Amino acid sequence: MQDSISPVVTRLAAAIKEATAVEAVVSERRQRTAALEKTVAEARYRLERQPEVESYMLTLQQRVHQRSVGLYEQLLTALIQDVLPENVHPISLELDTEKGLPALHIQLGKGEFAQDIYEDTGGSLTNVVSSGLRFIALERSGLRKFMVLDEPDCWIEPHRVPRFADILSDMASRIHVQAILISHHNDSAFTSIPDRHVLGKNAQGVIEVRKSRGSVWPDDVTPGIRWIRLQRFMSHLDTTLELGPGINVLSGPNHIGKSAIVNALRAFCYQKGADRQIMHGHGDFVISMGLEGGKVLTCTRVRKGARKTTYSYMDPSMAAPRVEPAEKTHPPDFVLQHLNIQRLNDLDIQLSHQKMPVFLLNEPNTKQAALLSAGLEADHVRTMLK
């Protein structure tokens, strides 16, 4: 009897095991079916909503574009149409993606007739737009609101220079930027600007500064460079430039030493001083700057010595100045801390170069977008659309 029951029990156990396995497969397939049905339902829902969502996304994209670069378009368009009224085309900033990065295309006009400003337009328009871009980039950078514009009017017709200077002055005033506008044009072109400085030479052949009436700082703590002093630097034996807020025009005849002031700022801020910049017959040069709050920064370079370049910092609360040697490629940290003038993305926003007046327009489109912080939101919207 036991022998006859044993095979039945074995077959029953096998059947139960097989049924359990089948039930697991059925359960898994039911789950897969439910998941597929859910996926199909979601896909069908997305397809049904696609036109509505795409329309909303495109509207959102336009709003993001307007918020990201629309104001820049308006500012640059107003700038060129004020200075160059014969130009009737607007500036357009088109956002795109290159190799996964936001890219910005700065153009004159829109659509199929748009022109590349750097390649397809004249020097005057390029210079005007470059000046506007410097202000925009500086506003976005977080750096000290100070810049030097070295002859941005070099390709602009003389009768347009006063208007150009007035617009730059208004722009600087609105966003609280202090600037030195260096020009080879006569001082009479800038009579509407209170802070004007004319370089010339006295009877002994020494460079001196003639200053107009000038503006007044509201208080001692408002950020700004109060003065720059060059001693034995290039052609400057001892020259002090007293600066006001807003635009400071620096004019004078060619080869009088205007660009030497920019060279001094580069030597100071970027640790780019060289022995050739020490005035002939002297053993050192000294560059000093007075800042808000009575702070004074000084850079000294000597022809001979183990420590070629040193920097010092002094403010009214200190009994003695803090003095440190320069690093190999940059000044001590306290210079950046108090002055906050530096390159950004390998670009000079604050200290323009006379021989390289074009700013940003000749850079890759991705660098243009990065410097102006443009395109990131628009790129997110494009990803959402995909």
Side-chain angles (χ1 to χ4, degrees):
M1 182 67 175
Q2 181 69 30
D3 292 342
S4 62
I5 292 175
S6 183
V8 174
V9 172
T10 301
R11 288 198 300 273
L12 181 59
I16 292 172
K17 184 177 180 180
E18 184 178 354
T20 301
V22 169
E23 186 177 349
V25 171
V26 170
S27 177
E28 180 193 359
R29 289 183 177 176
R30 282 176 180 165
Q31 291 176 1
R32 288 175 58 193
T33 301
L36 286 170
E37 287 175 348
K38 182 181 179 182
T39 300
V40 170
E42 290 175 348
R44 184 180 292 114
Y45 181 84
R46 285 197 297 271
L47 288 171
E48 290 172 354
R49 295 291 184 271
Q50 182 176 353
E52 178 185 351
V53 172
E54 281 190 344
S55 175
Y56 173 75
M57 286 292 189
L58 290 172
T59 301
L60 180 61
Q61 194 172 33
Q62 291 171 355
R63 289 177 181 173
V64 167
H65 174 85
Q66 183 66 19
R67 185 171 65 184
S68 183
V69 299
L71 181 60
Y72 300 164
E73 290 178 334
Q74 296 171 23
L75 287 172
L76 294 172
T77 297
L79 180 61
I80 62 168
Q81 291 181 349
D82 268 351
V83 180
L84 307 169
E86 70 278 7
N87 176 77
V88 296
H89 301 291
I91 298 293
S92 63
L93 280 68
E94 300 297 329
L95 293 170
D96 196 1
T97 303
E98 292 180 7
K99 297 180 180 179
L101 297 174
L104 187 66
H105 302 270
I106 305 174
Q107 304 170 129
L108 180 66
K110 296 186 176 183
E112 60 179 316
F113 300 109
Q115 296 177 295
D116 181 279
I117 293 178
Y118 183 62
E119 297 289 349
D120 303 331
T121 66
S124 58
L125 191 141
T126 301
N127 267 23
V128 171
V129 173
S130 290
S131 298
L133 287 171
R134 281 191 188 276
F135 277 93
I136 292 170
L138 181 58
E139 176 68 13
R140 300 297 300 245
S141 68
L143 301 173
R144 175 181 283 271
K145 288 189 175 182
F146 172 84
M147 71 168 70
V148 176
L149 298 168
D150 196 353
E151 298 200 8
D153 52 8
C154 62
W155 290 334
I156 297 176
E157 295 174 282
H159 70 278
R160 301 188 191 276
V161 170
R163 180 59 180 159
F164 180 47
D166 286 346
I167 292 170
L168 293 180
S169 179
D170 182 61
M171 194 181 306
S173 175
R174 287 176 183 272
I175 60 176
H176 307 292
V177 169
Q178 183 187 25
I180 299 175
L181 170 60
I182 298 176
S183 177
H184 67 274
H185 290 282
N186 191 278
D187 180 59
S188 60
F190 308 102
T191 53
S192 63
I193 296 176
D195 290 288
R196 304 193 312 279
H197 316 261
V198 181
L199 288 187
K201 290 186 177 181
N202 60 21
Q204 290 73 41
V206 176
I207 295 175
E208 60 182 10
V209 181
R210 175 173 60 83
K211 191 178 187 300
S212 66
R213 65 185 186 280
S215 54
V216 178
W217 287 92
D219 50 57
D220 188 48
V221 297
T222 298
I225 298 175
R226 271 39 178 191
W227 50 265
I228 301 170
R229 184 182 183 188
L230 278 57
Q231 295 172 274
R232 302 175 295 282
F233 184 88
M234 299 180 71
S235 56
H236 293 267
L237 178 61
D238 192 347
T239 303
T240 299
L241 195 64
E242 296 182 356
L243 302 176
I247 291 285
N248 291 260
V249 174
L250 178 62
S251 61
N254 291 333
H255 310 298
I256 194 64
K258 300 188 296 296
S259 290
I261 293 175
V262 190
N263 290 336
L265 288 171
R266 288 179 179 280
F268 193 109
C269 300
Y270 304 150
Q271 220 293 80
K272 293 289 186 181
D275 286 354
R276 67 178 183 277
Q277 294 170 322
I278 299 173
M279 178 176 275
H280 182 69
H282 294 271
D284 68 349
F285 71 62
V286 180
I287 306 166
S288 307
M289 278 191 271
L291 309 180
E292 61 279 352
K295 296 181 288 189
V296 177
L297 290 167
T298 302
C299 170
T300 302
R301 183 178 179 90
V302 297
R303 288 191 191 275
K304 299 178 180 180
R307 301 200 311 182
K308 297 283 287 184
T309 305
T310 56
Y311 287 80
S312 70
Y313 168 73
M314 185 72 180
D315 69 39
S317 68
M318 301 169 63
R322 175 183 177 182
V323 181
E324 291 186 16
E327 303 290 339
K328 187 173 182 180
T329 59
H330 59 275
D333 291 341
F334 67 75
V335 175
L336 179 59
Q337 175 188 347
H338 294 288
L339 192 57
N340 200 16
I341 294 177
Q342 61 178 315
R343 297 175 188 270
L344 201 62
N345 290 353
D346 295 324
L347 288 177
D348 251 336
I349 299 174
Q350 295 160 291
L351 305 178
S352 72
H353 197 296
Q354 181 186 20
K355 295 178 181 177
M356 294 178 285
V358 177
F359 174 71
L360 201 59
L361 295 171
N362 56 340
E363 298 293 336
N365 302 119
T366 50
K367 182 176 281 191
Q368 294 176 5
L371 194 66
L372 299 183
S373 304
L376 296 177
E377 292 177 317
D379 192 44
H380 295 327
V381 174
R382 279 191 292 272
T383 303
M384 291 166 68
L385 271 168
K386 290 179 183 178

